[in-house]
Amino acid sequence: GNSVTQMEGPVTLSEEAFLTINCTYTATGYPSLFWYVQYPGEGLQLLLKATKADDKGSNKGFEATYRKETTSFHLEKGSVQVSDSAVYFCALTLSGGYNKLIFGAGTRLAVHP
Amino acid sequence: EAGVVQSPRYKIIEKKQPVAFWCNPISGHNTLYWYRQNLGQGPELLIRYENEEAVDDSQLPKDRFSAERLKGVDSTLKIQPAELGDSAVYLCASSLEGRQNNEQFFGPGTRLTVL
């Protein structure tokens, strides 16, 4: 079936460290891919998205590239800040269908000074 | 512009009791979604509305869960009776339309604890 797999957390980093959160997917057709972020006490927010192969989504210093050959959409940031501490969710929607988001389990990121 | 509003933010009930959650989507958004997020997992879709019509409720446990979206605006999700396994965060989201890639905006959620 259609699914998203993320690396398990928590991920603990020092400020200014490089971040990678791995995400791979299984889906029929040509899905669109998303990263959502959930800050403590807040709702899920769209961080970035990519709708076709080789597209790169970017926002707030975060990037992810849609790799169809490896069915991956890894999230990266060159220099994390304490304010980036949150839970990050990788998700997809299926092509030809409606806007149903299928989420991974989430990865908690903790950045310390 | 106000975001998606949900209430209550927290609810603690005993098993077998009824409970209801309310959601007010972003003004003008035709599509409304209810998701359930179990601890340590990602959200899973329960039901989707296009205006006042439920167009996908395949994941809604219909023996105890019900939902409505009167007049195509606010929505209520109800559980009766609640079970221990219903403890979760219930998220409401809305989008302008239901087509793929329309951005979904999420509310803060209602955290339900069933004792």
Side-chain angles (χ1 to χ4, degrees), chain A residues 8-71:
Chain A
E8 288 192 21
V11 174
T12 304
L13 295 173
S14 298
E15 205 164 25
E16 299 183 2
F18 185 86
L19 169 70
T20 300
I21 300 178
N22 290 338
C23 170
T24 57
Y25 67 89
T26 301
T28 54
Y30 302 92
S32 294
L33 302 174
F34 305 81
W35 277 100
Y36 276 81
V37 59
Q38 189 170 36
Y39 298 103
E42 298 184 17
L44 282 162
Q45 302 173 25
L46 179 63
L47 181 59
L48 53 84
K49 70 179 183 183
T51 59
K52 61 182 186 296
D54 299 325
D55 268 3
K56 178 186 283 188
S58 61
N59 186 24
K60 299 181 180 180
F62 291 88
E63 293 183 340
T65 301
Y66 188 162
R67 301 288 189 196
K68 189 167 179 62
E69 63 276 15
T70 55
T71 62

XYZ file of all heavy atoms in Angstrom, chain A residues 8-71:
502
model
N 13.737 7.342 12.721
C 13.221 7.496 14.073
C 13.976 8.598 14.800
O 15.162 8.820 14.577
C 13.361 6.179 14.844
C 12.388 5.118 14.367
C 12.336 3.935 15.314
O 12.725 4.101 16.489
O 11.925 2.848 14.875
N 13.281 9.253 15.689
C 13.924 10.241 16.513
C 14.083 9.721 17.931
O 13.872 8.546 18.190
N 14.442 10.582 18.851
C 14.712 11.983 18.561
C 16.091 12.200 17.943
O 16.988 11.402 18.137
C 14.632 12.635 19.941
C 15.034 11.554 20.891
C 14.533 10.269 20.288
N 16.172 13.260 17.188
C 17.443 13.719 16.654
C 17.881 14.890 17.523
O 17.137 15.859 17.670
C 17.308 14.155 15.184
C 18.605 14.775 14.682
C 16.881 12.979 14.309
N 19.051 14.778 18.098
C 19.568 15.818 18.983
C 20.821 16.425 18.367
O 21.763 15.698 18.067
C 19.874 15.264 20.377
O 18.691 14.655 20.901
C 20.313 16.370 21.311
N 20.793 17.742 18.176
C 21.909 18.428 17.539
C 22.292 19.678 18.317
O 21.452 20.258 19.029
C 21.535 18.851 16.115
C 21.260 17.741 15.099
C 20.738 18.357 13.807
C 22.492 16.917 14.843
N 23.512 20.085 18.132
C 23.951 21.377 18.643
C 23.597 22.462 17.640
O 23.483 22.193 16.430
C 25.455 21.372 18.887
O 25.802 20.420 19.860
N 23.409 23.668 18.141
C 23.110 24.794 17.259
C 24.195 24.918 16.193
O 25.377 24.700 16.470
C 23.024 26.079 18.084
C 22.174 27.159 17.466
C 21.809 28.246 18.462
O 22.548 28.430 19.456
O 20.779 28.896 18.262
N 23.767 25.233 14.967
C 24.624 25.414 13.788
C 25.072 24.096 13.167
O 25.808 24.121 12.175
C 25.840 26.299 14.097
C 25.449 27.704 14.554
C 26.649 28.613 14.786
O 27.778 28.166 14.558
O 26.432 29.759 15.176
N 24.637 22.972 13.684
C 24.963 21.682 13.069
C 24.129 21.478 11.811
O 23.118 22.146 11.578
C 24.708 20.554 14.063
N 24.589 20.524 10.976
C 23.880 20.165 9.751
C 22.814 19.113 10.072
O 23.057 18.178 10.828
C 24.869 19.599 8.725
C 24.255 19.299 7.389
C 24.148 20.294 6.430
C 23.774 18.033 7.094
C 23.575 20.035 5.195
C 23.192 17.764 5.860
C 23.097 18.768 4.909
N 21.637 19.306 9.470
C 20.516 18.416 9.735
C 20.149 17.624 8.495
O 20.042 18.191 7.395
C 19.291 19.227 10.165
C 17.954 18.461 10.214
C 17.953 17.474 11.373
C 16.784 19.431 10.321
N 19.948 16.326 8.681
C 19.295 15.489 7.672
C 18.262 14.626 8.367
O 18.584 13.973 9.364
C 20.285 14.564 6.945
O 21.287 15.335 6.292
C 19.564 13.708 5.918
N 17.047 14.648 7.867
C 16.007 13.714 8.316
C 15.569 12.919 7.093
O 15.081 13.484 6.121
C 14.798 14.434 8.933
C 15.226 15.255 10.140
C 13.741 13.408 9.340
C 14.087 16.046 10.790
N 15.775 11.618 7.164
C 15.479 10.760 6.011
C 13.995 10.450 5.896
O 13.302 10.231 6.900
C 16.253 9.457 6.113
C 17.739 9.670 5.911
O 18.168 10.649 5.316
N 18.544 8.747 6.418
N 13.534 10.403 4.645
C 12.150 10.053 4.349
C 12.122 9.262 3.058
O 12.682 9.702 2.047
C 11.285 11.302 4.214
S 9.621 10.991 3.577
N 11.493 8.114 3.084
C 11.266 7.335 1.873
C 9.781 7.021 1.772
O 9.063 7.027 2.775
C 12.067 6.027 1.855
O 11.731 5.262 3.008
C 13.559 6.296 1.846
N 9.330 6.749 0.568
C 7.898 6.535 0.374
C 7.636 5.345 -0.531
O 8.499 4.921 -1.303
C 7.235 7.795 -0.203
C 7.672 8.114 -1.616
C 7.000 7.592 -2.716
C 8.771 8.941 -1.857
C 7.404 7.870 -4.015
C 9.190 9.221 -3.150
C 8.504 8.676 -4.228
O 8.915 8.948 -5.502
N 6.442 4.827 -0.425
C 5.910 3.812 -1.334
C 4.567 4.327 -1.817
O 3.695 4.642 -0.998
C 5.709 2.467 -0.621
O 6.956 2.020 -0.098
C 5.161 1.424 -1.579
N 4.438 4.457 -3.123
C 3.181 4.994 -3.654
C 3.039 4.608 -5.115
O 4.029 4.493 -5.842
C 3.145 6.518 -3.511
N 1.803 4.447 -5.530
C 1.523 4.219 -6.944
C 1.481 5.552 -7.675
O 1.182 6.599 -7.082
C 0.171 3.508 -7.105
O -0.831 4.282 -6.413
C 0.209 2.123 -6.498
N 1.835 5.508 -8.933
C 1.751 6.721 -9.742
C 2.813 7.745 -9.384
O 3.951 7.408 -9.069
N 2.407 9.000 -9.394
C 3.333 10.118 -9.197
C 2.842 10.990 -8.045
O 2.144 11.977 -8.250
C 3.440 10.931 -10.485
C 3.906 10.095 -11.658
C 2.985 9.469 -12.499
C 5.262 9.891 -11.888
C 3.404 8.680 -13.551
C 5.685 9.100 -12.945
C 4.759 8.492 -13.767
O 5.173 7.713 -14.799
N 3.223 10.629 -6.826
C 2.732 11.392 -5.684
C 3.369 12.773 -5.592
O 4.415 13.024 -6.200
C 3.154 10.532 -4.491
C 4.379 9.812 -4.975
C 4.109 9.527 -6.433
N 2.742 13.640 -4.848
C 3.356 14.883 -4.401
C 3.874 14.646 -2.989
O 3.296 13.869 -2.224
C 2.336 16.016 -4.412
O 1.921 16.300 -5.722
N 4.960 15.327 -2.647
C 5.630 15.089 -1.374
C 5.707 16.372 -0.555
O 5.873 17.472 -1.114
C 7.032 14.531 -1.619
C 7.089 13.236 -2.432
C 8.531 12.865 -2.741
C 6.390 12.109 -1.684
N 5.597 16.221 0.751
C 5.514 17.363 1.646
C 6.355 17.117 2.902
O 6.543 15.976 3.328
C 4.063 17.577 2.111
C 3.064 17.726 0.995
C 2.558 16.614 0.348
C 2.628 18.979 0.612
C 1.637 16.743 -0.681
C 1.702 19.118 -0.414
C 1.211 17.999 -1.059
N 6.805 18.216 3.491
C 7.282 18.211 4.860
C 6.424 19.191 5.653
O 6.271 20.357 5.265
C 8.749 18.621 4.964
C 9.691 17.489 4.692
C 10.365 17.223 3.536
C 10.066 16.459 5.617
N 11.125 16.094 3.679
C 10.968 15.599 4.934
C 9.742 16.171 6.944
C 11.552 14.492 5.542
C 10.320 15.064 7.542
C 11.208 14.234 6.850
N 5.870 18.668 6.776
C 5.131 19.492 7.714
C 5.940 19.576 9.004
O 6.674 18.656 9.370
C 3.756 18.888 8.018
C 2.689 19.223 7.014
C 2.594 18.525 5.807
C 1.773 20.231 7.262
C 1.616 18.838 4.882
C 0.784 20.550 6.345
C 0.720 19.851 5.162
O -0.256 20.161 4.245
N 5.755 20.676 9.736
C 6.433 20.857 11.009
C 5.399 21.181 12.081
O 4.414 21.873 11.822
C 7.512 21.970 10.930
C 6.910 23.303 10.519
C 8.257 22.111 12.244
N 5.633 20.621 13.262
C 4.725 20.867 14.385
C 5.548 21.387 15.552
O 6.289 20.625 16.197
C 4.009 19.569 14.768
C 2.896 19.729 15.768
C 2.092 18.436 15.904
O 2.634 17.342 15.827
N 0.790 18.576 16.095
N 5.440 22.691 15.804
C 6.116 23.294 16.946
C 5.318 23.010 18.214
O 4.102 22.796 18.155
C 6.282 24.789 16.741
C 7.141 25.145 15.546
C 6.565 25.591 14.358
C 8.524 25.017 15.592
C 7.337 25.898 13.251
C 9.313 25.321 14.492
C 8.707 25.756 13.322
O 9.479 26.046 12.231
N 5.960 23.010 19.361
C 5.262 22.701 20.616
C 4.036 23.581 20.812
O 4.107 24.803 20.712
C 6.338 22.975 21.671
C 7.637 22.772 20.959
C 7.398 23.245 19.556
N 2.897 22.935 21.044
C 1.676 23.662 21.328
C 0.989 24.262 20.117
O -0.018 24.972 20.269
N 1.498 23.990 18.933
C 0.917 24.574 17.721
C 0.437 23.488 16.773
O 0.736 22.311 16.926
C 1.945 25.450 17.021
C 2.422 26.624 17.851
C 3.367 27.520 17.073
O 3.395 27.431 15.829
O 4.074 28.318 17.715
N -0.330 23.908 15.768
C -0.808 22.979 14.758
C 0.259 22.690 13.719
O 1.264 23.373 13.623
N 0.015 21.668 12.920
C 0.906 21.332 11.819
C 0.960 22.471 10.814
O -0.057 23.060 10.467
C 0.398 20.087 11.098
C 0.663 18.752 11.762
C -0.254 17.693 11.169
C 2.106 18.351 11.573
N 2.176 22.752 10.330
C 2.340 23.792 9.317
C 3.107 23.209 8.136
O 4.077 22.465 8.333
C 3.150 24.966 9.873
C 2.589 25.632 11.086
C 3.548 26.660 11.641
O 4.385 27.211 10.946
N 3.414 26.927 12.934
N 2.692 23.583 6.950
C 3.430 23.147 5.770
C 4.786 23.839 5.740
O 4.871 25.069 5.823
C 2.654 23.489 4.502
C 3.329 23.116 3.193
C 3.531 21.609 3.077
C 2.521 23.638 2.008
N 5.847 23.058 5.635
C 7.202 23.611 5.575
C 7.648 23.769 4.124
O 8.128 24.817 3.720
C 8.165 22.701 6.330
C 9.621 23.132 6.391
C 9.769 24.491 7.055
C 10.456 22.081 7.124
N 7.489 22.706 3.333
C 7.846 22.773 1.925
C 7.205 21.604 1.190
O 6.734 20.652 1.825
C 9.364 22.761 1.729
C 10.170 21.646 2.392
C 10.187 20.396 1.526
C 11.599 22.101 2.660
N 7.200 21.690 -0.134
C 6.606 20.618 -0.919
C 7.298 20.517 -2.274
O 7.977 21.449 -2.723
C 5.112 20.834 -1.114
C 4.766 21.997 -2.032
C 3.263 22.122 -2.194
C 2.893 23.225 -3.171
N 1.418 23.408 -3.274
N 7.110 19.362 -2.923
C 7.592 19.143 -4.289
C 6.566 18.266 -4.995
O 6.110 17.266 -4.431
C 8.964 18.479 -4.293
N 6.180 18.647 -6.186
C 5.078 17.960 -6.855
C 5.510 17.061 -7.999
O 4.687 16.318 -8.535
C 4.049 18.970 -7.365
O 4.703 19.867 -8.271
C 3.458 19.762 -6.221
N 6.777 17.097 -8.390
C 7.222 16.166 -9.424
C 8.694 15.842 -9.233
O 9.424 16.544 -8.521
C 6.974 16.728 -10.815
C 7.680 18.011 -11.149
C 7.292 18.460 -12.550
C 8.087 19.666 -12.986
N 7.822 20.858 -12.167
N 9.118 14.777 -9.894
C 10.482 14.278 -9.738
C 11.505 15.364 -10.046
O 11.334 16.148 -10.983
C 10.693 13.064 -10.635
N 12.559 15.400 -9.216
C 13.696 16.320 -9.312
C 13.368 17.736 -8.846
O 14.267 18.582 -8.807
C 14.279 16.365 -10.727
C 14.788 15.011 -11.174
O 15.298 14.263 -10.310
O 14.657 14.687 -12.363
N 12.123 17.995 -8.491
C 11.786 19.289 -7.897
C 12.464 19.421 -6.546
O 12.576 18.452 -5.802
C 10.269 19.410 -7.690
C 9.580 20.053 -8.868
O 10.251 20.348 -9.871
O 8.354 20.251 -8.773
N 12.863 20.645 -6.208
C 13.390 20.921 -4.888
C 12.449 21.882 -4.194
O 12.170 22.964 -4.723
C 14.794 21.521 -4.963
C 15.390 21.889 -3.603
C 16.720 22.620 -3.740
C 17.833 21.653 -4.076
N 19.167 22.312 -4.027
N 11.983 21.499 -3.022
C 11.209 22.403 -2.189
C 12.144 23.065 -1.183
O 13.089 22.440 -0.708
N 11.872 24.331 -0.865
C 12.729 25.018 0.098
C 11.931 26.077 0.842
O 10.992 26.677 0.296
C 13.935 25.661 -0.590
O 13.507 26.619 -1.527
N 12.324 26.295 2.112
C 11.645 27.284 2.939
C 12.426 27.410 4.237
O 12.838 26.387 4.823
C 10.202 26.866 3.231
C 9.412 27.930 3.962
O 9.730 29.117 3.891
N 8.375 27.526 4.654
N 12.625 28.613 4.711
C 13.271 28.882 6.008
C 14.630 28.196 6.135
O 15.028 27.803 7.239
C 12.364 28.427 7.148
C 11.020 29.124 7.194
C 10.192 28.632 8.370
C 8.852 29.331 8.413
N 8.022 28.870 9.565
N 15.339 28.011 5.060
C 16.655 27.374 5.095
C 16.608 25.864 4.964
O 17.645 25.220 4.848
N 15.408 25.288 4.985
C 15.240 23.853 4.798
C 15.086 23.547 3.308
O 14.521 24.329 2.560
C 13.997 23.345 5.535
C 14.095 23.371 7.022
C 13.727 24.501 7.739
C 14.556 22.263 7.720
C 13.813 24.525 9.122
C 14.637 22.274 9.098
C 14.271 23.409 9.801
N 15.586 22.381 2.912
C 15.446 21.927 1.526
C 15.140 20.438 1.485
O 15.555 19.692 2.376
C 16.758 22.153 0.747
C 17.136 23.589 0.527
C 18.397 23.692 -0.308
O 19.154 22.699 -0.380
O 18.627 24.765 -0.901
N 14.457 20.022 0.419
C 14.256 18.600 0.169
C 14.065 18.425 -1.326
O 13.372 19.221 -1.969
C 13.053 18.065 0.928
N 14.671 17.378 -1.880
C 14.586 17.109 -3.321
C 13.843 15.812 -3.550
O 14.147 14.785 -2.924
C 15.988 17.037 -3.943
O 16.666 18.271 -3.714
C 15.887 16.792 -5.447
N 12.895 15.847 -4.459
C 12.068 14.710 -4.831
C 12.897 13.780 -5.716
O 13.163 14.078 -6.869
C 10.856 15.236 -5.590
C 9.743 14.275 -5.939
C 8.494 14.772 -6.277
C 9.911 12.912 -5.976
C 7.442 13.944 -6.625
C 8.896 12.068 -6.323
C 7.647 12.582 -6.652
O 6.616 11.741 -7.010
N 13.305 12.632 -5.159
C 14.116 11.673 -5.895
C 13.281 10.439 -6.209
O 13.060 9.587 -5.347
C 15.329 11.250 -5.056
C 16.234 12.391 -4.645
C 17.016 12.929 -5.800
N 18.046 13.884 -5.355
C 18.655 14.720 -6.171
N 18.322 14.765 -7.463
N 19.580 15.529 -5.695
N 12.838 10.357 -7.445
C 11.970 9.234 -7.804
C 12.763 7.923 -7.866
O 12.246 6.859 -7.521
C 11.286 9.510 -9.140
C 10.203 8.491 -9.489
C 9.350 8.954 -10.645
C 8.297 7.922 -11.002
N 7.377 7.712 -9.849
N 14.020 8.005 -8.288
C 14.810 6.776 -8.458
C 15.072 6.079 -7.134
O 15.211 4.857 -7.087
C 16.120 7.076 -9.179
C 17.070 7.997 -8.448
C 16.782 9.469 -8.658
O 15.682 9.820 -9.146
O 17.671 10.280 -8.305
N 15.121 6.867 -6.052
C 15.335 6.276 -4.731
C 14.097 6.403 -3.858
O 14.131 6.036 -2.673
C 16.510 6.962 -4.009
O 16.270 8.377 -3.969
C 17.827 6.678 -4.723
N 13.017 6.863 -4.411
C 11.739 7.115 -3.694
C 12.006 7.787 -2.350
O 11.572 7.320 -1.284
C 10.907 5.824 -3.512
O 11.641 4.873 -2.714
C 10.560 5.211 -4.843
